[in-house]
Structures are given as structure tokens and as C-alpha cells.
Amino acid sequence: MSKKKAAPIGIFDSGVGGLSIAKDISELLPHEHLIYVADQAYSPYGNKSKENIEERCLAIAQFFLAQQCKAIVVACNTATVNAIELLRANFDIPIVGVEPGIKPAALNSKSGIVGVLATEQTINSDTFKALVNRFVDHVDVRVQASPKLVDLVENNDLTSEYAQQIVNEYVTPLINQGVDQIALGCTHYVFLAPLIKKAVAGKASIINTAAPVAAQLQRRLLEKELLSTNDEKASVTLFTTLASKQNKLLIKDLWSPSDRKSDIAVNQLDI
């Protein structure tokens, strides 16, 4: 196998949300080596300026290039809408982003009203506004800023009564407006899917874009003849820019079954 095919794939997010995408990539492409970066020292991105987000994305991409990565996955909606074009202009490798699943939501909607949960920075970006405008002739898109959801996930608060109350605070207004599809516009929110489903109470479907991102990465690697031909289970290397005990435990909790946590190392990354 060529050196390029054997090279790793870099995946990053402002925090742990992108692990939801990394897990789908690992399942679809089990022979690809993965390097994941949680930029927790600068999390959340949702309340940062575009310039700050671009600076962080460039720094992480440069780290991936130093690790000889053959592709980069921007596993963060906010980073995608604010910085992916800049990354593609600066780095000559496949770069795959993520966007809210408004298209599948529109295709599946019976009521003609779809909802999006997202961070404020994503909602205010020109890229997101353009995405919504592509579907205005087909569905009514109701957008709900949901900044507290990222904090719930980063604090590993995924099941408490308080977490359910916060989820209800964002989801109930969408349900009351008649939405029958809710697109998760932040990769963190996937880890709150059980609470979101409970808040929805059967009145809407939840659209998660992790699987389509993994499939798009597979297509790009095939196009560039970069898909690994290794037949053994590949490695996953996990980094955080803020390696506190709490953050390390959170990453382990979200990445791996409890009986395998002791086998996982979460490394400090200073960039």
C-alpha cells in the first residue's frame, strides 16, 4: 500500500461534538487511521468571531498537515460555515465539512415546516443563510439558536432533569410552530438525541448528518485514489487542547464502551 493511502485522516471540532462524526467514519472506514482534535481550550466556537474561528481552524489544519494527514474533516457546523472555504484555498487535500440537514428535512416534511437547532454563529453566517434560502420555495424553515446544548455536552450532562429542561426550552417552540422535521445543526447535539426525541414526543423526526459526512469522505478518498487498502483495524489517536481530567474522561465516555476506556489515551495538544 502506498504511503499516501496509509496516511491518517484528521478530524476536528471545537470540542467533543465531532466525535459523533468520527465514530461514523470509523464504522464506515474501519481501516483508516484517524486523528481527532477537540479544541476545548477555545470552545465553544458558537460565540466566537469569524476571524477567531478561522485562526483556530488554520492552526489545527496545519497540525494535521504536519502529521501527514491525507484528508481533513471539519466535524463542526460553525467551523464549516465560517472557515472551510479558507481551508480549501490554503490546503491541497480533500477537506470535508458538515452542514445542517435542511435538504433531507425538506424532502421528508409533510407539514412543509422544518426546524433547525444550531449555534448563533452558524445561524448568523452567510453560508447558513444561503443554505436556508435554497429551500424557501419548498418549506418554511424555523431556526432555533440553542447555545446551552453545547455546554451540556461539554459538561457530560446528557441525562439529567436539568438537561431535559434545557432541551425542552429549545425544542418545544419548534414543535408548537408545527415542524415535523428537526435538523441538528451542531455535531454536539447528536449526543443529546435521546433527550431531543423525548421532547419531540413523536411529533417530528430528527435529522443527523454524521452518516452523510462519512459517506462523502469515502467518495472523496475514492476519487483521489486515497482509500486505505489495509485489511486490519486502524488506530484512532485522540487530542484535546485542554487535557483536564474532566475533558479526558468525557472524550473517553463519548468515544468508547465503558469496558474499553482504560485502553484509550487522550493527549494534550498545544497549538
Side-chain angles (χ1 to χ4, degrees):
M1 182 169 63
S2 70
K3 187 175 181 180
K4 283 188 176 181
K5 287 186 176 182
I9 295 163
I11 307 168
F12 78 96
D13 181 25
S14 63
V16 297
L19 289 169
S20 60
I21 288 179
K23 287 164 76 76
D24 270 50
I25 291 171
S26 181
E27 290 175 10
L28 181 65
L29 304 171
H31 308 306
E32 298 289 352
H33 297 291
L34 306 181
I35 300 175
Y36 182 85
V37 172
D39 195 17
Q40 290 171 299
Y42 297 86
S43 179
Y45 284 175
N47 60 10
K48 302 291 192 301
S49 69
K50 179 178 175 65
E51 290 73 23
N52 287 155
I53 294 167
E54 288 179 339
E55 181 181 340
R56 292 309 302 158
C57 291
L58 284 171
I60 294 168
Q62 286 164 352
F63 165 73
F64 286 145
L65 267 291
Q67 305 305 306
Q68 306 297 313
C69 288
K70 63 184 177 183
I72 295 174
V73 178
V74 185
C76 171
N77 293 79
T78 302
T80 297
V81 298
N82 283 279
I84 197 166
E85 294 307 323
L86 178 66
L87 294 181
R88 287 172 173 161
N90 281 273
F91 303 102
D92 189 25
I93 60 173
I95 300 177
V96 175
V98 58
E99 65 180 26
I102 297 177
K103 181 177 180 178
L107 291 173
N108 292 315
S109 178
K110 300 293 191 296
S111 69
I113 308 173
V114 303
V116 182
L117 297 172
T119 68
E120 293 174 347
Q121 182 58 260
T122 294
I123 291 169
N124 292 330
S125 71
D126 291 339
T127 304
F128 178 79
K129 291 172 183 175
L131 175 64
V132 171
N133 285 336
R134 278 164 42 196
F135 298 95
V136 292
D137 293 335
H138 306 286
V139 290
D140 184 357
V141 180
R142 306 293 174 91
V143 180
Q144 177 67 58
S146 318
K148 295 178 184 177
L149 298 188
V150 170
D151 293 335
L152 289 177
V153 177
E154 289 293 330
N155 289 310
N156 207 8
D157 187 0
L158 309 180
T159 58
S160 73
E161 184 177 335
Y162 171 74
Q164 186 69 66
Q165 290 173 353
I166 296 300
V167 168
N168 292 348
E169 177 185 323
Y170 296 133
V171 173
T172 301
L174 292 176
I175 297 300
N176 290 342
Q177 292 173 66
V179 308
D180 65 351
Q181 308 285 321
I182 296 179
L184 303 184
C186 174
T187 53
H188 280 77
Y189 301 171
V190 177
F191 292 110
L192 293 167
L195 300 189
I196 296 171
K197 189 174 292 186
K198 188 173 181 180
V200 162
K203 296 179 181 177
S205 299
I206 300 169
I207 306 294
N208 169 22
T209 55
V213 171
Q216 173 65 3
L217 173 64
Q218 183 183 47
R219 284 192 291 270
R220 293 298 308 280
L221 293 176
L222 281 169
E223 288 171 3
K224 298 292 185 179
E225 298 183 348
L226 290 173
L227 204 62
S228 173
T229 54
N230 181 22
D231 59 1
E232 297 179 358
K233 179 71 175 178
S235 64
V236 178
T237 307
L238 302 170
F239 289 94
T240 174
T241 55
L242 186 61
S244 65
K245 182 177 179 181
Q246 177 182 341
N247 285 347
K248 287 183 176 182
L249 181 60
L250 173 61
I251 291 170
K252 290 182 179 184
D253 280 344
L254 296 181
W255 177 256
S256 182
S258 58
D259 61 345
R260 293 178 53 197
K261 285 188 179 62
S262 60
D263 299 331
I264 302 172
V266 179
N267 308 287
Q268 172 72 35
L269 178 61
D270 297 313
I271 56 172

